[in-house]
Amino acid sequence: MRLPKAGTIEIAPSILSADFARLADEIAEIESAGVNIVHLDVMDGHFVPNITIGPQVIAKLRKYSNLVFDTHLMISEPAKYAKAFVEAGADHITFHIEVADDPEKLIDRLHELGVTAGICLNPETPVEQVEAVAPLCDMVLVMTVRPGFGAQEFMLEAAKKIAQIRKIVGPNIRIEVDGGINPQTTPIVVSYGADTLVAGNAIFAKSDRIAAINAIRGASK
Ligand code: DX5
Ligand code: ZN
């Protein structure tokens, strides 16, 4: 599966707020709502103060879904584990600039391994830190909460970086936004230039996930 080319708005539900005991069913439900991407949050308890899933869970899920596996590595040593996530079935891998020793090298390596690559920056991280590598990526991920947990409050100041990054990368690279995205915050981030909207709590905390996805979709237009 390939990340859709830039030019469309995509909603990427984050499984962080899903029922982890029923992940395959939860993903099937959002697939039936017509999304193309599922956002998989990988946390190591070191880069962020929470622990989620690793390559083994992703490999099992791969058998149940044809969605693009957008894999957000919130881990301290992304280069060490990149290959394991590709082998597990990740389609797109995002790592954090704050822990990347040689981001250009890791982007090249991900491309060689056959996946698309993303760089992510935390709310406190200035745009200047990703300026050189953002144009080499397929997607840039802007955090609008501190990574680690779902259902946190959207940080408007962090979202403003989307507009700066859009100027740097032009129209052909996706900009994804992650944290506090719901029908109220969607128009703001879309106006700044985001085209890939991660939403966890706004979808999986609702009993009608399809209606929740449609509400975000409607707000993005
Ligand atoms: C946070 C994760 C997000 C999270 C977003 O560390 O990277 O993907 O699931 O959750 P919401 O949409 O609930 O803010
Ligand atoms: Zn995420």
Side-chain angles (χ1 to χ4, degrees):
M1 275 50 75
R2 298 297 290 178
L3 193 67
K5 261 183 33 200
T8 56
I9 298 272
E10 301 288 335
I11 298 166
S14 159
I15 58 156
L16 193 59
S17 294
D19 181 346
F20 272 67
R22 296 179 49 255
L23 273 186
D25 292 344
E26 296 277 71
I27 292 174
E29 194 175 348
I30 54 145
E31 197 158 357
S32 74
V35 302
N36 298 309
I37 304 174
V38 61
H39 183 85
L40 305 174
D41 285 306
V42 175
M43 304 186 185
D44 65 353
H46 187 258
F47 176 62
V48 289
N50 197 2
I51 300 176
T52 55
I53 59 167
Q56 281 155 308
V57 174
I58 292 177
K60 293 291 181 190
L61 289 173
R62 187 72 280 177
K63 300 189 179 84
Y64 295 96
S65 176
N66 289 318
L67 293 177
V68 174
F69 278 7
D70 165 25
T71 310
H72 178 191
L73 298 184
M74 286 162 274
I75 65 177
S76 295
E77 294 190 85
K80 184 171 169 186
Y81 295 98
K83 190 158 178 260
F85 283 100
V86 173
E87 285 171 355
D91 299 299
H92 176 85
I93 293 187
T94 292
F95 60 95
H96 274 256
I97 191 71
E98 297 85 5
V99 286
D101 296 333
D102 189 342
E104 286 187 35
K105 191 171 161 198
L106 185 48
I107 291 163
D108 282 349
R109 176 121 171 281
L110 290 169
H111 286 151
E112 279 163 23
L113 288 166
V115 297
T116 49
I119 195 78
C120 182
L121 66 169
N122 278 340
E124 299 80 9
T125 303
V127 168
E128 291 66 38
Q129 275 198 41
V130 296
E131 205 167 351
V133 293
L136 310 174
C137 293
D138 305 275
M139 184 152 82
V140 178
L141 175 53
V142 177
M143 290 306 301
T144 42
V145 296
R146 290 198 183 88
F149 300 92
Q152 302 183 76
E153 200 180 329
F154 176 76
M155 297 166 82
L156 180 63
E157 283 309 308
K160 290 179 182 166
K161 291 188 285 185
I162 295 167
Q164 288 174 267
I165 293 169
R166 184 51 83 199
K167 279 204 192 112
I168 295 167
V169 300
N172 297 327
I173 292 176
R174 284 193 170 274
I175 300 181
E176 183 175 41
V177 59
D178 187 359
I181 299 302
N182 57 39
Q184 287 70 49
T185 53
T186 289
I188 303 170
V189 297
V190 170
S191 76
Y192 289 143
D195 53 18
T196 311
L197 312 174
V198 175
N201 192 60
I203 295 172
F204 283 108
K206 299 273 161 45
S207 55
D208 188 344
R209 279 71 184 274
I210 296 178
I213 289 167
N214 286 336
I216 297 171
R217 201 177 271 139
S220 73
K221 289 181 180 144

Short mmCIF file of all heavy atoms in Angstrom, two decimals, residues 12-17 39-43 48 72 74 96 141 143-154 178-182 198-203, ligand 1:
data_model
loop_
_atom_site.label_atom_id
_atom_site.label_comp_id
_atom_site.label_asym_id
_atom_site.label_seq_id
_atom_site.Cartn_x
_atom_site.Cartn_y
_atom_site.Cartn_z
N ALA A 12 -6.62 10.02 8.94
CA ALA A 12 -5.86 8.85 9.40
C ALA A 12 -6.24 8.56 10.85
O ALA A 12 -5.65 9.13 11.78
CB ALA A 12 -4.37 9.12 9.26
N PRO A 13 -7.24 7.71 11.07
CA PRO A 13 -7.63 7.41 12.45
C PRO A 13 -6.46 6.79 13.22
O PRO A 13 -5.76 5.91 12.70
CB PRO A 13 -8.78 6.41 12.28
CG PRO A 13 -9.34 6.70 10.91
CD PRO A 13 -8.13 7.05 10.09
N SER A 14 -6.25 7.27 14.44
CA SER A 14 -5.20 6.71 15.30
C SER A 14 -5.81 5.66 16.21
O SER A 14 -6.76 5.95 16.95
CB SER A 14 -4.57 7.82 16.14
OG SER A 14 -3.94 7.24 17.26
N ILE A 15 -5.22 4.49 16.20
CA ILE A 15 -5.76 3.39 17.00
C ILE A 15 -5.50 3.55 18.50
O ILE A 15 -5.96 2.73 19.29
CB ILE A 15 -5.19 2.02 16.56
CG1 ILE A 15 -3.66 2.03 16.66
CG2 ILE A 15 -5.67 1.66 15.16
CD1 ILE A 15 -3.06 0.66 16.81
N LEU A 16 -4.78 4.63 18.87
CA LEU A 16 -4.44 4.79 20.29
C LEU A 16 -5.68 4.79 21.19
O LEU A 16 -5.62 4.31 22.32
CB LEU A 16 -3.62 6.07 20.48
CG LEU A 16 -2.93 6.25 21.82
CD1 LEU A 16 -1.96 5.12 22.10
CD2 LEU A 16 -2.19 7.58 21.87
N SER A 17 -6.78 5.30 20.68
CA SER A 17 -8.01 5.32 21.49
C SER A 17 -8.94 4.15 21.15
O SER A 17 -10.09 4.12 21.61
CB SER A 17 -8.77 6.64 21.29
OG SER A 17 -8.01 7.71 21.81
N HIS A 39 -3.39 5.21 11.34
CA HIS A 39 -2.21 5.74 12.02
C HIS A 39 -1.89 4.86 13.23
O HIS A 39 -2.72 4.69 14.13
CB HIS A 39 -2.53 7.18 12.46
CG HIS A 39 -1.42 7.92 13.10
ND1 HIS A 39 -0.45 8.61 12.40
CD2 HIS A 39 -1.13 8.12 14.41
CE1 HIS A 39 0.38 9.19 13.24
NE2 HIS A 39 0.00 8.91 14.47
N LEU A 40 -0.70 4.27 13.21
CA LEU A 40 -0.30 3.32 14.26
C LEU A 40 0.76 3.99 15.15
O LEU A 40 1.85 4.31 14.69
CB LEU A 40 0.28 2.06 13.61
CG LEU A 40 -0.63 1.35 12.60
CD1 LEU A 40 0.12 0.19 11.92
CD2 LEU A 40 -1.91 0.84 13.26
N ASP A 41 0.41 4.20 16.41
CA ASP A 41 1.30 4.90 17.34
C ASP A 41 2.16 3.90 18.10
O ASP A 41 1.66 3.11 18.91
CB ASP A 41 0.47 5.73 18.32
CG ASP A 41 -0.08 6.98 17.67
OD1 ASP A 41 0.72 7.75 17.10
OD2 ASP A 41 -1.30 7.19 17.73
N VAL A 42 3.46 3.97 17.85
CA VAL A 42 4.42 3.08 18.50
C VAL A 42 5.16 3.87 19.57
O VAL A 42 5.81 4.87 19.27
CB VAL A 42 5.41 2.52 17.45
CG1 VAL A 42 6.50 1.70 18.13
CG2 VAL A 42 4.68 1.70 16.39
N MET A 43 5.06 3.43 20.82
CA MET A 43 5.68 4.15 21.94
C MET A 43 6.54 3.19 22.76
O MET A 43 6.13 2.06 23.02
CB MET A 43 4.60 4.73 22.85
CG MET A 43 3.62 5.64 22.12
SD MET A 43 2.50 6.42 23.28
CE MET A 43 1.40 7.27 22.14
N VAL A 48 8.79 8.61 24.98
CA VAL A 48 7.53 9.12 25.54
C VAL A 48 7.16 8.28 26.76
O VAL A 48 7.56 7.12 26.86
CB VAL A 48 6.37 9.05 24.50
CG1 VAL A 48 6.55 10.08 23.41
CG2 VAL A 48 6.22 7.65 23.92
N HIS A 72 3.86 5.71 13.27
CA HIS A 72 4.45 6.86 13.96
C HIS A 72 5.34 6.35 15.08
O HIS A 72 4.85 5.92 16.12
CB HIS A 72 3.29 7.74 14.47
CG HIS A 72 3.73 8.94 15.24
ND1 HIS A 72 2.85 9.71 15.95
CD2 HIS A 72 4.95 9.52 15.40
CE1 HIS A 72 3.50 10.71 16.52
NE2 HIS A 72 4.77 10.61 16.22
N MET A 74 7.36 6.74 18.04
CA MET A 74 7.74 7.60 19.17
C MET A 74 8.69 6.78 20.03
O MET A 74 8.38 6.35 21.14
CB MET A 74 6.48 8.02 19.96
CG MET A 74 5.67 9.07 19.21
SD MET A 74 3.98 9.19 19.81
CE MET A 74 3.21 7.92 18.84
N HIS A 96 11.00 10.83 14.83
CA HIS A 96 11.10 12.17 15.42
C HIS A 96 12.47 12.79 15.22
O HIS A 96 13.49 12.14 15.47
CB HIS A 96 10.77 12.11 16.93
CG HIS A 96 9.31 12.20 17.21
ND1 HIS A 96 8.71 13.34 17.68
CD2 HIS A 96 8.31 11.30 17.01
CE1 HIS A 96 7.41 13.14 17.80
NE2 HIS A 96 7.14 11.91 17.42
N LEU A 141 5.19 15.42 9.79
CA LEU A 141 4.17 15.29 10.84
C LEU A 141 4.38 16.35 11.91
O LEU A 141 5.44 16.42 12.55
CB LEU A 141 4.24 13.88 11.45
CG LEU A 141 3.34 13.58 12.65
CD1 LEU A 141 1.88 13.90 12.37
CD2 LEU A 141 3.47 12.11 13.04
N MET A 143 3.23 17.71 15.44
CA MET A 143 2.50 17.34 16.67
C MET A 143 1.81 18.58 17.24
O MET A 143 2.46 19.62 17.45
CB MET A 143 3.45 16.79 17.74
CG MET A 143 4.06 15.44 17.48
SD MET A 143 2.92 14.10 17.11
CE MET A 143 1.88 14.06 18.57
N THR A 144 0.53 18.44 17.54
CA THR A 144 -0.20 19.54 18.18
C THR A 144 -0.63 19.17 19.60
O THR A 144 -1.51 19.80 20.19
CB THR A 144 -1.40 19.97 17.31
OG1 THR A 144 -2.04 18.79 16.79
CG2 THR A 144 -0.95 20.83 16.15
N VAL A 145 0.00 18.11 20.13
CA VAL A 145 -0.01 17.79 21.57
C VAL A 145 1.37 17.22 21.87
O VAL A 145 2.10 16.85 20.95
CB VAL A 145 -1.08 16.72 21.96
CG1 VAL A 145 -2.49 17.22 21.70
CG2 VAL A 145 -0.82 15.38 21.27
N ARG A 146 1.73 17.14 23.15
CA ARG A 146 2.97 16.44 23.49
C ARG A 146 2.71 14.95 23.30
O ARG A 146 1.71 14.42 23.80
CB ARG A 146 3.38 16.72 24.93
CG ARG A 146 3.84 18.13 25.06
CD ARG A 146 4.67 18.42 26.30
NE ARG A 146 4.95 19.84 26.28
CZ ARG A 146 4.14 20.77 26.82
NH1 ARG A 146 3.06 20.41 27.47
NH2 ARG A 146 4.44 22.04 26.70
N PRO A 147 3.60 14.25 22.58
CA PRO A 147 3.32 12.87 22.26
C PRO A 147 3.28 11.98 23.50
O PRO A 147 3.97 12.25 24.48
CB PRO A 147 4.46 12.47 21.32
CG PRO A 147 5.55 13.42 21.61
CD PRO A 147 4.89 14.71 22.04
N GLY A 148 2.46 10.95 23.43
CA GLY A 148 2.40 9.97 24.53
C GLY A 148 0.99 9.52 24.84
O GLY A 148 0.79 8.37 25.20
N PHE A 149 0.04 10.41 24.70
CA PHE A 149 -1.32 10.07 25.10
C PHE A 149 -2.34 10.66 24.13
O PHE A 149 -2.09 11.70 23.52
CB PHE A 149 -1.59 10.58 26.52
CG PHE A 149 -0.66 9.98 27.53
CD1 PHE A 149 0.53 10.63 27.86
CD2 PHE A 149 -0.91 8.73 28.09
CE1 PHE A 149 1.43 10.06 28.75
CE2 PHE A 149 -0.02 8.17 28.98
CZ PHE A 149 1.16 8.82 29.32
N GLY A 150 -3.49 9.98 24.05
CA GLY A 150 -4.59 10.52 23.27
C GLY A 150 -5.42 11.48 24.11
O GLY A 150 -5.16 11.68 25.30
N ALA A 151 -6.39 12.09 23.44
CA ALA A 151 -7.39 12.94 24.11
C ALA A 151 -6.81 14.13 24.87
O ALA A 151 -7.34 14.52 25.90
CB ALA A 151 -8.26 12.08 25.04
N GLN A 152 -5.72 14.69 24.37
CA GLN A 152 -5.19 15.91 24.98
C GLN A 152 -5.70 17.13 24.21
O GLN A 152 -6.21 17.02 23.11
CB GLN A 152 -3.66 15.90 24.96
CG GLN A 152 -3.01 14.72 25.64
CD GLN A 152 -1.50 14.87 25.61
OE1 GLN A 152 -0.91 15.64 26.35
NE2 GLN A 152 -0.84 14.12 24.71
N GLU A 153 -5.46 18.29 24.82
CA GLU A 153 -5.96 19.51 24.20
C GLU A 153 -5.06 19.99 23.06
O GLU A 153 -3.83 20.00 23.17
CB GLU A 153 -6.06 20.61 25.27
CG GLU A 153 -7.00 21.72 24.84
CD GLU A 153 -7.10 22.80 25.90
OE1 GLU A 153 -6.98 22.46 27.10
OE2 GLU A 153 -7.28 23.97 25.52
N PHE A 154 -5.68 20.36 21.97
CA PHE A 154 -5.03 20.89 20.77
C PHE A 154 -4.21 22.15 21.11
O PHE A 154 -4.70 23.04 21.81
CB PHE A 154 -6.14 21.25 19.78
CG PHE A 154 -5.70 21.90 18.51
CD1 PHE A 154 -5.10 21.17 17.50
CD2 PHE A 154 -5.94 23.25 18.29
CE1 PHE A 154 -4.73 21.78 16.31
CE2 PHE A 154 -5.57 23.88 17.11
CZ PHE A 154 -4.97 23.13 16.11
N ASP A 178 -1.19 15.88 14.14
CA ASP A 178 -1.51 14.81 15.10
C ASP A 178 -1.67 15.40 16.50
O ASP A 178 -0.72 15.96 17.06
CB ASP A 178 -0.34 13.80 15.08
CG ASP A 178 -0.61 12.55 15.89
OD1 ASP A 178 -1.68 12.43 16.50
OD2 ASP A 178 0.29 11.69 15.91
N GLY A 179 -2.88 15.28 17.04
CA GLY A 179 -3.13 15.71 18.41
C GLY A 179 -4.28 16.69 18.50
O GLY A 179 -4.22 17.80 17.98
N GLY A 180 -5.37 16.23 19.11
CA GLY A 180 -6.50 17.13 19.34
C GLY A 180 -7.28 17.48 18.09
O GLY A 180 -7.97 18.51 18.06
N ILE A 181 -7.19 16.64 17.07
CA ILE A 181 -7.94 16.93 15.83
C ILE A 181 -9.38 16.42 15.98
O ILE A 181 -9.61 15.26 16.34
CB ILE A 181 -7.24 16.30 14.60
CG1 ILE A 181 -5.82 16.88 14.44
CG2 ILE A 181 -8.07 16.51 13.34
CD1 ILE A 181 -5.74 18.39 14.28
N ASN A 182 -10.31 17.31 15.69
CA ASN A 182 -11.75 17.00 15.77
C ASN A 182 -12.46 17.95 14.79
O ASN A 182 -11.78 18.75 14.13
CB ASN A 182 -12.22 17.17 17.22
CG ASN A 182 -11.96 18.56 17.77
OD1 ASN A 182 -12.10 19.55 17.05
ND2 ASN A 182 -11.55 18.64 19.02
N VAL A 198 -4.71 13.23 11.54
CA VAL A 198 -4.76 12.10 12.49
C VAL A 198 -5.82 12.43 13.54
O VAL A 198 -5.84 13.54 14.07
CB VAL A 198 -3.39 11.91 13.17
CG1 VAL A 198 -3.47 10.81 14.24
CG2 VAL A 198 -2.32 11.59 12.14
N ALA A 199 -6.66 11.47 13.83
CA ALA A 199 -7.63 11.68 14.91
C ALA A 199 -7.85 10.37 15.64
O ALA A 199 -8.17 9.34 15.03
CB ALA A 199 -8.95 12.20 14.35
N GLY A 200 -7.62 10.40 16.94
CA GLY A 200 -7.81 9.21 17.77
C GLY A 200 -9.09 9.29 18.55
O GLY A 200 -10.10 8.67 18.23
N ASN A 201 -9.06 10.13 19.57
CA ASN A 201 -10.21 10.25 20.47
C ASN A 201 -11.48 10.68 19.74
O ASN A 201 -12.57 10.19 20.03
CB ASN A 201 -9.84 11.26 21.56
CG ASN A 201 -10.82 11.26 22.69
OD1 ASN A 201 -11.01 10.25 23.35
ND2 ASN A 201 -11.48 12.39 22.90
N ALA A 202 -11.34 11.59 18.77
CA ALA A 202 -12.53 12.12 18.06
C ALA A 202 -13.22 11.04 17.24
O ALA A 202 -14.36 11.23 16.81
CB ALA A 202 -12.13 13.29 17.17
N ILE A 203 -12.54 9.92 17.00
CA ILE A 203 -13.17 8.82 16.24
C ILE A 203 -13.45 7.62 17.15
O ILE A 203 -14.59 7.17 17.27
CB ILE A 203 -12.26 8.40 15.05
CG1 ILE A 203 -12.17 9.57 14.06
CG2 ILE A 203 -12.81 7.12 14.38
CD1 ILE A 203 -11.17 9.37 12.94
C1 DX5 B 1 -0.17 11.04 20.59
C2 DX5 B 1 -0.32 10.21 19.34
C3 DX5 B 1 -1.54 10.51 18.58
C4 DX5 B 1 -2.81 10.32 19.36
C5 DX5 B 1 -3.73 11.42 18.99
O1 DX5 B 1 1.06 10.82 21.14
O2 DX5 B 1 0.78 10.38 18.46
O3 DX5 B 1 -1.59 9.86 17.32
O4 DX5 B 1 -3.45 9.11 19.14
O5 DX5 B 1 -4.84 11.32 19.77
P1 DX5 B 1 -6.01 12.38 19.79
O6 DX5 B 1 -6.56 12.48 18.38
O7 DX5 B 1 -6.96 11.80 20.75
O8 DX5 B 1 -5.41 13.69 20.22
#
